[in-house]
Amino acid sequence: MFESIERVPGDAILGLIEAFKNDSNPDKVDLGVGVYRDEAGITPVMRAVKEAEKLLIETEKTKAYIGSHGDPEYGADVLETVFGADSEVLAANRASATQSPGGTGALRLAADFIKSNLPGKSIWLSNPTWPNHLGVFGAAGLNIEKYPYVDADNRLDFDGMLAALKQIPEGDVVLLHACCHNPTGFDLSKDQWQQVLAVVQERSLLPLVDFAYQGFGDGLDEDAYGVRLLANTLDEMIITQSCSKNFGIYRERTGCFIAVAKDADDMEDVRSQLAITARENYSNPPGHGSAIVATIFNSDELTAMWREELDEMRGRINGLRSDFVKGLAPHGLDQRFAHVAEQRGMFSFTGLTPDHVAQLRDKHSIYMVKSGRANVAGLNSANLDYVCNAIADVVK
């Protein structure tokens, strides 16, 4: 029966990884893959994570299942990080955490939850958005619509976004990026979040906020502004959270589906449905990553160490953005790429065209995705000038 199965193209980013690996140019640069890299080009294990794992080796007593909702201690830690220690939402027991296999697992939980419990509702995604949003929600059978996010000049199109949101049918789901928008790096200001909130209320929309990069934009609390604004004002919302980036535990698949309901009773109804959804998807989430996070938060010393490391990573990325723009100044391109310094997170919608991207790859062995999205964390002091010179070569 397998003879009738057709081969499909592989994931574009995975193809980039393979092409980069096979490139013999010693000056090659990878700006495509979506993981943090340090000055040496390594995705490091954070010091706090290493110390937590040492403790787990000594103290862990079982490898038994942790239940469909996951580790309760981990869930409580995530909720406090997302909403804040003094959150009225948490005090009223309006929020619930269901641990998931990474942020992608949380998105799939959200997709199946919406499909099963909110029949007929479409989900609206920013254009552009993380490509796998389309895959995850499409695989669940949801109808996908789009709202504009970037204009023809490669700038945030907030007016276009707001106008489109005002036309969304009442009761539909709108996916918003909490911070560090992937792939563009363009984030909403506090005033813009207030305007989005007003439209969400006016149209009775259900916000689904993808929160994969808390701490990578402007700070743990600063990056949570939009999430907390919506949660403190609205009766209901969904949040999908990931510890892959801010704890550097990508392969441990550690995420969380968070639901906010009108009251504690409604929350228990939602939570009962999520247990079934999780059970039907993967039964139980993996436990090592959540144990690492819980161990860190259970220690003031490790929490302080983790926060310091996160601040260092964020500072490095934001510094690279400024250095990149400065590096283009001798070529007269600093104004053309000034937006890169204003963006937040690992990714930048550079404004480079597919032809520019192809030339960078073929002539200079610099790899990024076709859209011109670059992982800023792939830059370092050794390759920054090389990348700036190459960009100047292909755009002039």
Side-chain angles (χ1 to χ4, degrees):
M1 288 185 287
F2 287 176
E3 292 178 356
S4 63
I5 297 175
E6 297 181 359
R7 185 177 303 179
V8 298
D11 183 273
I13 293 181
L14 296 181
L16 274 181
I17 295 173
E18 190 66 22
F20 178 81
K21 186 173 74 171
N22 295 331
D23 193 326
S24 60
N25 185 346
D27 296 322
K28 62 184 179 181
V29 180
D30 181 5
L31 301 179
V33 182
V35 296
Y36 175 80
R37 287 188 171 140
D38 62 16
E39 178 65 18
I42 297 170
T43 302
V45 180
M46 296 173 77
R47 299 186 299 276
V49 169
K50 277 287 192 184
E51 293 301 317
E53 288 185 311
K54 290 177 184 178
L55 289 172
L56 286 172
I57 289 173
E58 298 172 357
T59 61
E60 193 172 41
K61 297 179 180 179
T62 182
K63 293 291 185 182
Y65 296 123
I66 58 176
S68 294
H69 286 297
D71 181 351
E73 187 177 359
Y74 165 78
D77 291 332
V78 168
L79 289 175
E80 184 171 315
T81 305
V82 169
F83 294 111
D86 57 350
S87 168
E88 294 181 3
V89 172
L90 298 184
N93 293 318
R94 292 180 50 220
S96 172
T98 298
Q99 184 182 331
S100 61
T104 305
L107 287 164
R108 184 56 193 248
L109 281 181
D112 288 345
F113 175 80
I114 293 165
K115 181 68 175 178
S116 297
N117 296 281
L118 305 173
K121 300 302 182 184
S122 297
I123 185 164
W124 292 73
L125 310 176
S126 66
N127 184 22
T129 193
W130 181 47
N132 209 25
H133 281 151
L134 298 166
V136 170
F137 293 112
L142 292 177
N143 180 59
I144 297 172
E145 303 287 352
K146 297 179 181 179
Y147 60 86
Y149 198 76
V150 175
D151 63 22
D153 294 325
N154 196 44
R155 297 294 187 273
L156 174 65
D157 183 13
F158 183 69
D159 290 341
M161 172 188 179
L162 206 63
L165 295 184
K166 291 178 180 178
Q167 302 302 314
I168 295 178
E170 290 190 5
D172 273 2
V173 182
V174 57
L175 188 145
L176 304 164
H177 296 234
C179 66
C180 307
H181 185 278
N182 182 3
T184 71
F186 291 117
D187 285 350
L188 302 181
S189 68
K190 290 182 178 180
D191 178 67
Q192 289 168 337
W193 273 111
Q194 294 278 356
Q195 294 182 63
V196 168
L197 168 62
V199 176
V200 167
Q201 290 177 300
E202 177 187 336
R203 303 298 300 165
S204 299
L205 305 178
L206 177 65
L208 191 172
V209 183
D210 193 351
F211 204 2
Y213 297 93
Q214 186 175 8
F216 264 63
D218 293 302
L220 286 167
D221 292 325
E222 292 85 348
D223 292 347
Y225 176 82
V227 171
R228 295 174 185 178
L229 174 70
L230 297 179
N232 290 332
T233 310
L234 302 173
D235 286 339
E236 300 168 340
M237 69 181 295
I238 295 171
I239 303 158
T240 54
Q241 181 269 355
S242 172
C243 291
S244 293
K245 285 79 178 178
N246 55 12
F247 283 86
I249 50 175
Y250 300 88
R251 67 176 62 173
E252 304 300 348
R253 310 313 301 137
T254 309
C256 199
F257 174 106
I258 300 170
V260 175
K262 181 175 62 176
D263 52 42
D265 190 53
D266 280 1
M267 176 49 58
E268 289 304 317
D269 294 339
V270 172
R271 189 170 173 82
S272 69
Q273 292 288 343
L274 286 170
I276 295 173
T277 304
R279 177 71 174 166
E280 291 173 347
N281 266 282
Y282 48 78
S283 183
N284 284 248
H288 187 62
S290 58
I292 291 170
V293 173
T295 300
I296 290 173
F297 279 127
N298 198 39
S299 163
D300 291 342
E301 180 182 355
L302 291 183
T303 299
M305 183 185 296
W306 168 69
R307 284 176 172 270
E308 181 181 350
E309 291 180 88
L310 183 57
D311 289 347
E312 290 171 358
M313 290 192 293
R314 180 178 66 254
R316 179 175 177 274
I317 292 173
N318 290 340
L320 284 169
R321 289 184 175 280
S322 298
D323 291 344
F324 173 76
V325 176
K326 292 175 183 175
L328 290 170
H331 305 285
L333 295 172
D334 50 325
Q335 291 303 310
R336 178 171 174 176
F337 289 91
H339 58 277
V340 174
E342 301 167 3
Q343 296 163 337
R344 285 294 176 265
M346 289 197 300
F347 301 116
S348 170
F349 225 44
T350 59
L352 294 169
T353 67
D355 180 61
H356 293 150
V357 171
Q359 290 187 63
L360 285 171
R361 180 188 66 240
D362 297 340
K363 295 175 63 177
H364 302 283
S365 297
I366 297 173
Y367 292 80
M368 66 180 72
V369 295
K370 186 177 179 181
S371 65
R373 187 206 78 171
N375 180 1
V376 179
L379 296 171
N380 55 50
S381 59
N383 65 29
L384 184 63
D385 287 341
Y386 177 74
V387 171
C388 290
N389 290 337
I391 289 175
D393 176 57
V394 303
V395 303
K396 287 186 175 180

